[in-house]
């Protein structure tokens, strides 16, 4: 079907995409969507948290009676249960499965373990209710113009001429390719945005950032101002967020989620990162599986208490977060508060003393004339800083980046600069800021500590 789609002329591609979107409408926006969206918009944070605790206990009680895979403590305390790893889920999928799925979605398998994730109808539509709940922070409504920059292969990767996008008329959505962001093509993306004038922009931060950077470097102002930009699926780096907000002149909200629907973190209008307790039950644990204290870093584990068809309890997302020391926010949206979503466990550079260093986007916070950058490690004493440089990039810029790198990585590791015309993306269209090619399992996790 994909090969046939790419042979279609542009207007028929739009028809195909629009018809596909229409066919999914009832699955995404059925009776449970309306129920959950109304509940999210009409209740307080405390009411949502209380309801989450009630539904979690009902879920665990039902699981205690029906599951041959889980042992549920009599008091329903998930802290007494083991951490569930993705490999265990893949191996025991048939034992975990509980009934007939309403929908099955395959994960991209970024950890090397792709998973076909089954959902019941409630969980699937609840996820979309949370989508629109966050968008409601800026009064975005269904039917508003939406521009999407994600991994959709709407245009063949070998196409050299615009359009690098396709229109989904059914949802008033212009879907852009994330595979054609060459320097010569960015003007076409900007022209399409100015013509479409979306109220809401969402997608990969690495893709949206490239548009933002192009606008800023060329002193271009858009003909419109969106109400909201939402970035998801990758860690939104500090320099990306700053550029996006400056170029689009609106707030860039961060969305964290996953295919397993285990753990959901969103940014509020105050700029704080909140767990959504009514989405799933979240814990942040250390290497020994113990809950960390505010101000500490740990791995996110979660229990989705809605998806009874494929129950995941204490599921290890392998995403690292830092709990905020200040657990109050003026927005009053509730939930556990985080300072940062660092990213996956492998999104670190490992120093010779086994210190793990994350958030290296700070290397480029003041670096001008850098279109894009990446940090790669193939050896514990060697790091490559890969840069797409633009006109105006000088040795002084390199020196400034090196200075920031030395402040974070120390003097015992070699830092080499590599200049390229374009940093390639992964097959799913995502961009990895840190490429970690060291087998970290060879190091004792107990000996490692983190610097963020």
């Amino acid at each position: 079907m994909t090969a046939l789609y790419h042979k279609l002329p542009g207007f028929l591609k739009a028809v195909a995409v629009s018809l596909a979107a229409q066919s999914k409408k009832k699955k995404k926006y059925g009776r449970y969507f309306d129920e959950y969206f109304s509940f999210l918009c009409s209740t307080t944070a405390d009411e949502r948290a209380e309801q989450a605790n009630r539904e979690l206990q009902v879920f665990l009680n039902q699981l205690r009676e029906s599951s041959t895979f889980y042992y549920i403590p009599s008091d329903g305390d998930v802290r007494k249960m083991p951490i569930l790893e993705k490999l265990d889920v893949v191996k025991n999928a048939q034992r975990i499965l509980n009934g007939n799925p309403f929908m099955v979605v395959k994960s991209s398998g970024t950890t090397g373990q792709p998973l076909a994730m089954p959902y019941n109808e409630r969980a699937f539509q609840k996820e979309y209710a949370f989508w629109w709940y966050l968008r409601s922070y800026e009064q975005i409504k269904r039917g508003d113009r939406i521009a999407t920059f994600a991994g959709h292969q709407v245009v063949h990767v070998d196409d050299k001429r615009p359009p690098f996008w396709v229109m989904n008329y059914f949802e008033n959505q212009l879907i852009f390719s994330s595979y054609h962001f060459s320097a010569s093509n960015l003007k076409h993306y900007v022209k399409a945005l100015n013509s479409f004038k979306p109220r809401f922009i969402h997608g990969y931060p690495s893709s949206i950032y490239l548009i933002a950077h192009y606008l800023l470097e060329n002193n271009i102002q858009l003909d419109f101002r969106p109400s909201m930009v939402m970035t998801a699926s990758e860690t939104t780096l500090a320099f990306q967020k700053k550029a996006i907000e400056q170029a689009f002149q609106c707030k860039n909200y961060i969305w964290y989620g996953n295919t397993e629907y285990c753990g959901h973190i969103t940014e509020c209008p105050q700029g704080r990162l909140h767990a959504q307790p009514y989405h799933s039950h979240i814990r942040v644990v250390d290497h020994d599986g113990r809950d960390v204290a505010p101000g500490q870093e740990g791995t996110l584990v979660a229990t989705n208490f809605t998806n009874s068809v494929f129950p995941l309890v204490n599921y290890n997302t392998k995403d690292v977060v830092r709990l905020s020391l200040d657990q109050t926010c003026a927005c009053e949206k509730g939930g556990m508060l985080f300072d940062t979503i660092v990213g996956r466990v492998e999104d670190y550079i490992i120093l010779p003393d086994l210190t793990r260093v994350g958030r290296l986007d700070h290397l480029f916070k003041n670096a001008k004339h850098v279109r894009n950058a990446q940090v790669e490690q193939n050896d514990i004493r060697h790091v490559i800083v890969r840069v797409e440089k633009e006109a105006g990039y000088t040795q002084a810029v390199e020196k400034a980046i090196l200075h920031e790198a030395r402040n974070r990585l120390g003097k015992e590791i070699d830092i080499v600069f590599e200049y390229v015309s374009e940093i390639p993306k992964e097959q799913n269209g995502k961009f990895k800021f840190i490429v970690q090619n060291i087998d970290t399992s060879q190091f004792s996790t107990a000996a490692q500590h983190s610097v963020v």
Side-chain angles (χ1 to χ4, degrees), residues 223-369:
D223 297 340
F224 69 101
R225 182 177 176 179
S227 299
M228 181 184 202
V229 174
M230 186 177 78
T231 50
S233 298
E234 303 167 347
T235 300
T236 303
L237 306 173
F239 71 88
Q240 294 173 335
K241 185 177 177 68
K242 179 181 178 181
I244 289 169
E245 292 186 338
Q246 186 176 350
F248 291 100
Q249 299 182 55
C250 69
K251 182 166 178 55
N252 172 196
Y253 287 83
I254 293 173
W255 162 290
Y256 165 86
N258 49 52
T259 308
E260 294 86 346
Y261 295 177
C262 282
H264 182 36
I265 301 170
T266 55
E267 185 174 350
C268 76
Q270 299 291 325
R272 303 291 303 280
L273 296 170
H274 295 249
Q276 296 288 342
Y278 188 59
H279 179 278
S280 45
H281 178 72
I282 285 179
R283 299 173 59 205
V284 182
V285 303
D286 61 18
H287 295 301
D288 297 318
R290 296 173 299 193
D291 291 65
V292 305
Q296 295 181 335
E297 183 183 289
T299 303
L300 194 72
V301 301
T303 302
N304 186 312
F305 49 81
T306 305
N307 192 26
S308 57
V309 76
F310 200 75
L312 297 178
V313 181
N314 261 0
Y315 179 75
N316 186 359
T317 68
K318 299 204 171 189
D319 282 311
V320 178
V321 296
R322 181 181 287 271
L323 264 180
S324 178
L325 199 58
D326 179 7
Q327 286 291 310
T328 60
C329 183
C331 76
E332 299 183 346
K333 293 189 179 296
M336 195 181 297
L337 285 159
F338 304 89
D339 289 330
T340 57
I341 304 170
V342 180
R344 303 205 66 83
V345 172
E346 61 265 25
D347 290 342
Y348 288 94
I349 295 299
I350 312 295
L351 302 187
D353 68 354
L354 304 187
T355 295
R356 298 179 300 140
V357 183
R359 300 301 293 182
L360 286 175
D361 54 306
H362 295 295
L363 271 61
F364 304 93
K365 64 180 180 180
N366 296 316
K368 295 182 179 180
H369 310 298

Side-chain angles (χ1 to χ4, degrees), residues 417-429:
F417 282 76
E418 178 182 299
Y419 296 99
V420 296
S421 59
E422 186 173 354
I423 299 172
K425 296 191 176 186
E426 298 183 296
Q427 287 187 348
N428 58 8

Side-chain angles (χ1 to χ4, degrees), residues 40-163:
L40 291 171
C41 293
S42 63
T43 53
T44 65
D46 287 343
E47 288 170 336
R48 291 193 293 274
E50 290 171 3
Q51 182 64 19
N53 287 331
R54 285 192 289 267
E55 291 187 20
L56 173 64
Q57 292 308 313
V58 170
F59 169 81
L60 293 173
N61 288 337
Q62 292 175 344
L63 208 55
R64 185 185 296 112
E65 298 296 325
S66 63
S67 177
T68 60
F69 179 74
Y70 290 105
Y71 170 76
I72 308 296
S74 57
D75 60 1
D77 188 350
V78 296
R79 292 173 298 180
K80 296 177 181 178
M81 298 179 62
I83 304 297
L84 181 64
E85 301 294 338
K86 186 171 185 177
L87 184 59
D88 296 327
V89 175
V90 173
K91 288 181 177 179
N92 295 280
Q94 290 304 311
R95 289 184 63 197
I96 296 172
L97 186 66
N98 181 30
N100 296 319
F102 171 73
M103 175 71 72
V104 178
V105 175
K106 293 184 178 179
S107 72
S108 59
T110 55
T111 61
Q113 299 165 344
L115 175 67
M117 187 65 200
Y119 310 115
N120 61 13
E121 188 175 4
R122 275 191 172 274
F124 188 71
Q125 293 181 8
K126 183 181 180 182
E127 190 75 4
Y128 284 93
F130 270 97
W131 277 30
W132 287 99
Y133 173 60
L134 175 61
R135 297 173 189 190
S136 73
Y137 289 2
E138 297 292 346
Q139 289 75 53
I140 307 297
K141 299 179 177 63
R142 288 171 58 195
D144 287 345
R145 293 182 180 183
I146 298 173
T148 300
F149 295 83
H152 303 97
Q153 296 184 358
V154 293
V155 179
H156 196 280
V157 69
D158 293 331
D159 286 357
K160 304 300 181 186
R161 295 181 180 179

